[in-house]
Amino acid sequence: MSRLAQTHGLTDVQREILSTVRDFVDKEIIPVATELEHRDEYPQDIVDGLKELGLFGLMIPEEYGGLGESLLTYALCVEEIARGWMSVSGIINTHFIVAYMLKQHGTQEQKDHFLPRMAAGDIRGAFSMSEPALGSDVSAISSKAVKDGEEYVLNGQKMWLTNGGTSSLVAVLVKSDEGHPEGTAPHKSMTTFLVEKEPGFGEVRPGLTIPGKIDKMGYKGVDTTELVMDGLRVPADRVLGGVTGRGFYQMMDGVEVGRVNVAARGCGVAQRAFELGVQYAQQRRTFGKQIAQHQAIQFKLAEMATKVEAAHAMMVNAARKKDSGERNDLEAGMAKYLASEYCKEVVEDAFRIHGGYGFSKEYEIERLYREAPMLLIGEGTAEIQKMIIGRRLLEEYRFQG
Ligand SMILES: Cc1cc2nc3c(=O)[nH]c(=O)nc-3n(C[C@H](O)[C@H](O)[C@H](O)COP(=O)(O)OP(=O)(O)OC[C@H]3O[C@@H](n4cnc5c(N)ncnc54)[C@H](O)[C@@H]3O)c2cc1C
């Protein structure tokens, strides 16, 4: 059932992939999502199913065993998955960002070593920029790497790693002093390390501890953790791209495609909220008629559907721009900002349509209501998107007087 959020100009292969994913979401995710979410249970069967569908390798080039698909295909799959359960899209998102960073910036040896097993879903990625004292202000990172022979020694604490426990490869951004004299701009003295580890909690590798899951308001099922480095030794060939000082740019490149991904999640969650709202509005009766027949409710549905369409169009535009090889930071920032704000509003309207029942854990909208706010924060808050958008607008519309 979907007249909204159609995408024109897709290839047969894209349409086939999307129809397979939608089918999987309807049969394997939606029926179990709310129950698993309430138990904060990791959806192992769903993850196994995604592995079988090849989704962990969707954008990894075919030469490494992936499907070699575009960002648009990926984003549309994410939209479908988030429509079923946003946490599942979180499980593939950090993996996708790390694979993308490896593809774009990794040495040949790093690509050969990681990408085939990432495509198969046997190695799963997490990425780590945030620390307890910072999220938006990445330049303030205080975790450090110091060179010691052919290795680097890493110390510091990281925060908010999605898939921190279940992953076996973490891309970690730290300050590195080697080759960067005192006074070097912060973004030029950061390095991304590819840190391999055992999945799980506790000391997962000498010098590396994943303390446990952070208890969250929503976005449950997927693990979000801290990461503590205490004398963690990483070989020099695990510097992403083989050269220090490029980490900030590599991470920002990853986050940019991640923003399209978060926009896609906002679209998926909003679509589901609309579906739930429009169904409930035709079941519930007040004052002798379906509530859908009250103009106030119809207006809500109209506003919700318009927001779903607008967010989808902007998300598709941002993905297509990146796929064409053009810079897309403006479009990705706008899409992420709009889709996450609209998602929160559409979910709130669907919640209101449900009346008191929306407050009951028996109704799916209760889960969506707790999930939507995460999208306002992840991959950069609304304020950070507006800073990016504003800066770019001033570049494009420079006053010539
Ligand atoms: C569930 C979850 C999963 C996450 N997963 C990951 C992950 O996998 N990897 C990772 O590295 N991080 C992850 N994060 C962290 C996330 O990226 C940060 O929370 C986010 O970037 C915001 O940073 P902060 O929480 O430190 O807020 P702050 O940066 O402290 O911001 C607080 C408030 O101030 C505003 N603000 C900050 N600076 C400015 C400014 N210059 N102008 C105007 N307003 C400003 C912000 O918009 C916000 O409203 C995750 C977070 C959550 C909640």
Side-chain angles (χ1 to χ4, degrees):
M1 108 174 212
S2 172
R3 294 176 62 96
L4 294 179
Q6 299 293 318
T7 314
H8 298 291
L10 297 181
T11 63
D12 289 346
V13 174
Q14 286 175 314
R15 273 199 295 273
E16 198 176 308
I17 293 174
L18 285 169
S19 128
T20 308
V21 172
R22 179 167 265 254
D23 224 40
F24 181 81
V25 168
D26 285 337
K27 291 194 184 115
E28 310 293 336
I29 300 186
I30 290 180
V32 296
T34 299
E35 212 181 308
L36 290 175
E37 201 268 354
H38 287 164
R39 292 207 299 266
D40 197 4
E41 187 174 318
Y42 189 76
Q44 191 58 53
D45 290 347
I46 294 174
V47 171
D48 292 343
L50 295 177
K51 242 169 120 168
E52 244 170 68
L53 292 179
L55 281 189
F56 286 101
L58 196 59
M59 263 190 86
I60 295 178
E62 285 171 306
E63 59 191 292
Y64 299 106
L67 297 177
E69 272 297 325
S70 62
L71 180 60
L72 177 63
T73 314
Y74 180 81
L76 294 173
C77 287
V78 166
E79 182 181 39
E80 293 292 350
I81 291 170
R83 181 182 145 266
W85 184 11
M86 194 184 91
S87 296
V88 178
S89 63
I91 292 173
I92 53 173
N93 180 40
T94 62
H95 176 85
F96 149 77
I97 293 180
V98 176
Y100 173 83
M101 283 166 58
L102 268 161
K103 180 179 80 142
Q104 296 297 107
H105 307 288
T107 63
Q108 193 56 51
E109 184 276 328
Q110 289 168 350
K111 291 182 202 183
D112 292 341
H113 182 77
F114 290 112
L115 288 179
R117 283 179 294 154
M118 290 186 87
D122 295 335
I123 290 184
R124 298 245 300 285
F127 89 109
S128 173
M129 292 197 297
S130 305
E131 297 185 356
L134 66 103
S136 310
D137 185 7
V138 179
S139 65
I141 278 179
S142 66
S143 296
K144 265 203 161 137
V146 176
K147 188 137 198 228
D148 181 21
E150 283 310 295
E151 292 180 325
Y152 287 85
V153 182
L154 276 57
N155 283 289
Q157 187 176 349
K158 291 293 189 178
M159 185 74 190
W160 296 117
L161 280 84
T162 302
N163 299 305
T166 40
S167 57
S168 42
L169 171 64
V170 188
V172 186
L173 187 65
V174 300
K175 279 231 160 86
S176 51
D177 53 5
E178 174 231 3
H180 315 303
E182 198 69 13
T184 305
H187 56 280
K188 289 190 174 151
S189 57
M190 289 191 195
T191 299
T192 306
F193 284 89
L194 299 166
V195 177
E196 290 172 85
K197 68 173 185 66
E198 286 300 316
F201 298 96
E203 195 172 15
V204 287
R205 167 179 172 163
L208 179 65
T209 302
I210 305 286
K213 289 199 314 188
I214 298 169
D215 197 9
K216 294 166 295 188
M217 143 187 177
Y219 199 41
K220 288 172 182 277
V222 57
D223 50 297
T224 307
T225 72
E226 296 172 46
L227 174 150
V228 182
M229 299 174 288
D230 182 12
L232 169 67
R233 302 189 81 84
V234 182
D237 63 6
R238 288 298 168 255
V239 168
L240 179 62
V243 182
T244 58
R246 295 189 181 162
F248 182 84
Y249 301 102
Q250 295 163 341
M251 283 277 178
M252 288 304 132
D253 190 23
V255 165
E256 204 171 285
V257 289
R259 282 188 182 135
V260 176
N261 175 291
V262 173
R265 286 200 227 177
C267 294
V269 173
Q271 270 176 52
R272 185 65 187 155
F274 174 78
E275 287 171 13
L276 296 172
V278 78
Q279 281 165 21
Y280 188 84
Q282 294 168 82
Q283 291 161 356
R284 184 72 173 171
R285 297 178 70 82
T286 67
F287 302 93
K289 50 179 158 178
Q290 284 179 356
I291 59 169
Q293 298 308 322
H294 297 303
Q295 194 178 52
I297 299 290
Q298 257 181 40
F299 277 13
K300 262 196 211 313
L301 293 171
E303 285 165 15
M304 291 158 74
T306 306
K307 287 173 183 173
V308 166
E309 284 293 88
H312 179 81
M314 288 198 77
M315 179 274 286
V316 167
N317 180 46
R320 284 198 159 130
K321 190 108 194 257
K322 186 78 180 177
D323 285 334
S324 73
E326 287 180 75
R327 179 176 176 182
N328 86 331
D329 52 349
L330 178 70
E331 291 76 10
M334 284 180 168
K336 196 270 164 180
Y337 169 52
L338 188 96
S340 56
E341 295 290 332
Y342 275 2
C343 173
K344 182 201 65 168
E345 292 169 16
V346 171
V347 166
E348 165 124 15
D349 275 345
F351 168 80
R352 287 174 191 259
I353 288 173
H354 279 74
Y357 290 101
F359 215 63
S360 158
K361 282 192 168 246
E362 274 185 40
Y363 284 75
E364 198 177 327
I365 192 64
E366 179 271 341
R367 168 169 66 79
L368 271 53
Y369 196 86
R370 287 182 291 100
E371 287 175 339
M374 152 64 190
L375 299 172
L376 303 171
I377 307 292
E379 305 313 355
T381 62
E383 288 71 29
I384 297 302
Q385 307 310 318
K386 285 192 250 187
M387 280 163 62
I388 295 167
I389 295 166
R391 266 201 298 262
R392 282 283 283 124
L393 290 176
L394 292 176
E395 267 177 45
E396 298 280 342
Y397 290 85
R398 200 181 303 277
F399 180 57
Q400 303 289 354

